């Protein structure tokens, strides 16, 4: 069994908890989809910071330009940046996936005000902690973002890649498939922008990005046991933060459903 397989085996329990999380069974009404999107959008936003941190370290973004140490990994990162930062939306117009998600939120009737205010308030890594502390984020939302930027601030590429791969890219297809399968099927036709966004992620991350991200981890860690241990530790914490976020969303949806049924 190689290193990647060992890590996947050790985090399989957490992945199963996410894949079969009760949250998905509560996404049956538009009101519930709104709550989910208003919280999940932070994971869409901070994913871009993980990606750009990898781009800074694995490709050349300075002048004068110099060749990257691994052209294959550089190409992989640049391809993801192209897709995430300037993909084509359902109308064939260039947009970032974050902006597509905001459009889908508008379509569903979810509010993007809080996340837009947060994004607009942060202009540097030095401001992240203060901005998160001053925000109206709930506990799991704030801790989810704090973990992401803590990993980025280490500037250790293998750790950032671990959060990106095992906490995000490698998880996304299963997660979104679960949402589509377990939510009310008739929502698909009502919300074409949301459906397009979900299907686009499944297409890119399942078929292309996921397998290549595993190669990136192997390239960055090589035979360094300490780095492999770091990858496992970061991956576990990233998945635990996602589960906590999912728990918080599920609890808020259940509270809304209980209040709505009583009313």
């Amino acid at each position: 069994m190689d290193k990647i397989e060992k890590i996947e085996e050790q985090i399989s329990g957490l992945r199963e908890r996410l894949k079969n999380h009760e949250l998905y069974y509560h996404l049956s009404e538009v009101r519930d989809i709104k709550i989910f999107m208003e919280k999940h959008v932070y994971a869409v936003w901070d994913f871009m910071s993980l990606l750009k941190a990898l781009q800074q370290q694995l490709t050349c973004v300075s002048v004068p330009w110099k060749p990257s140490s691994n052209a294959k990994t550089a190409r992989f990162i640049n391809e993801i940046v192209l897709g995430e930062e300037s993909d084509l939306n359902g109308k064939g117009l260039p947009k970032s996936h974050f902006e597509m998600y905001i459009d889908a939120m508008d379509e569903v009737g979810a509010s993007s005000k809080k996340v837009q205010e947060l994004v607009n308030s942060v202009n540097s890594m030095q401001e992240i902690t203060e901005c998160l502390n001053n925000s109206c984020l709930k506990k799991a939302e704030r801790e989810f973002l704090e973990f992401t930027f803590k990993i980025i601030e280490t500037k250790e590429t293998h750790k950032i890649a671990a959060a990106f791969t095992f906490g995000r890219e490698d998880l996304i297809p299963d997660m979104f498939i679960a949402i589509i399968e377990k939510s009310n099927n008739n929502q698909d036709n009502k919300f074409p922008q949301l459906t397009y966004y979900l299907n686009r992620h499944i297409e890119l991350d399942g078929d292309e990005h996921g397998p290549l991200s595993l190669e990136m981890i192997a390239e960055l860690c090589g035979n360094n046991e300490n780095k492999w241990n770091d990858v496992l530790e970061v991956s576990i914490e990233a998945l635990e933060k996602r589960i906590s976020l999912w728990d918080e969303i599920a609890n808020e949806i259940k509270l809304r459903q209980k209040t709505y049924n009583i009313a």
Side-chain angles (χ1 to χ4, degrees):
M1 184 181 295
D2 66 21
K3 301 289 189 182
I4 293 290
E5 289 176 334
K6 285 183 179 178
I7 288 177
E8 290 184 323
E9 180 181 51
Q10 289 173 288
I11 64 175
S12 61
L14 291 171
R15 288 176 59 90
E16 283 302 307
R17 284 177 61 187
L18 276 168
K19 187 175 180 180
N20 299 299
H21 199 283
E22 65 168 325
L23 168 63
Y24 307 127
Y25 295 95
H26 295 293
L27 297 175
S28 58
E29 297 183 24
V30 176
R31 296 180 185 89
D32 308 323
I33 298 290
K34 289 180 184 179
I35 293 173
F36 170 76
M37 296 187 76
E38 287 172 4
K39 292 176 173 291
H40 175 244
V41 67
Y42 296 105
V44 179
W45 172 59
D46 77 333
F47 170 79
M48 283 304 303
S49 291
L50 285 170
L51 175 58
K52 298 302 281 188
L54 287 174
Q55 187 183 34
Q56 288 175 353
Q57 297 192 39
L58 296 175
T59 74
C60 184
V61 291
S62 61
V63 178
W65 176 87
K66 294 182 179 181
S68 300
S69 59
N70 187 310
K72 184 177 181 180
T73 302
R75 179 182 175 86
F76 164 57
I77 293 298
N78 283 330
E79 283 181 348
I80 296 184
V81 171
L82 174 64
E84 292 288 339
E85 201 167 35
S86 55
D87 200 4
L88 298 179
N89 67 9
K91 297 179 180 179
L93 302 174
K95 276 199 172 183
S96 69
H97 280 198
F98 174 75
E99 291 168 305
M100 287 187 201
Y101 200 87
I102 296 296
D103 289 343
M105 291 178 71
D106 292 340
E107 177 182 64
V108 171
S111 174
S112 61
K113 181 180 178 181
K114 283 173 58 178
V115 68
Q116 297 273 35
E117 288 178 347
L118 177 61
V119 172
N120 291 335
S121 70
V122 181
N123 296 307
S124 69
M125 284 293 292
Q126 290 70 34
E127 298 175 356
I128 287 291
T129 300
E130 182 180 357
C131 288
L132 292 179
N133 288 337
N134 292 334
S135 71
C136 298
L137 294 174
K138 292 194 174 180
K139 184 175 185 290
E141 296 170 331
R142 187 180 65 255
E143 291 180 351
F144 185 89
L145 292 173
E146 286 174 344
F147 170 74
T148 296
F149 289 103
K150 178 188 75 174
I151 294 301
I152 290 173
E153 286 177 339
T154 67
K155 299 186 185 301
E156 295 185 72
T157 313
H158 66 290
K159 291 183 179 180
I160 299 171
F164 176 87
T165 299
F166 294 109
R168 303 300 182 88
E169 283 293 284
D170 196 44
L171 168 68
I172 284 172
D174 284 349
M175 186 181 72
F176 281 162
I177 288 169
I179 290 175
I180 289 176
E181 288 179 347
K182 295 173 183 176
S183 64
N184 192 335
N185 289 332
N186 65 19
Q187 300 299 334
D188 292 353
N189 293 329
K190 289 184 179 180
F191 306 123
Q193 294 189 77
L194 175 58
T195 303
Y196 179 86
Y197 173 87
L198 295 178
N199 286 328
R200 186 64 176 148
H201 261 288
I202 291 170
E203 176 187 353
L204 290 177
D205 298 332
D207 296 339
E208 301 175 21
H209 296 170
L212 285 173
S213 66
L214 297 178
E215 288 187 27
M216 173 178 64
I217 292 288
E219 173 68 27
L220 292 173
C221 293
N223 295 318
N224 189 316
E225 287 296 329
N226 290 331
K227 287 187 176 181
W228 282 109
N229 290 334
D230 287 342
V231 166
L232 177 60
E233 182 179 328
V234 169
S235 301
I236 289 173
E237 190 170 359
L239 291 171
E240 289 175 341
K241 294 299 182 186
R242 174 79 74 166
I243 290 172
S244 295
L245 180 61
W246 261 213
D247 289 343
E248 186 172 85
I249 299 173
N251 289 336
E252 187 166 332
I253 289 175
K254 285 189 291 184
L255 179 61
R256 185 211 66 79
Q257 291 173 340
K258 181 180 180 180
T259 303
Y260 181 75
N261 289 335
I262 291 175

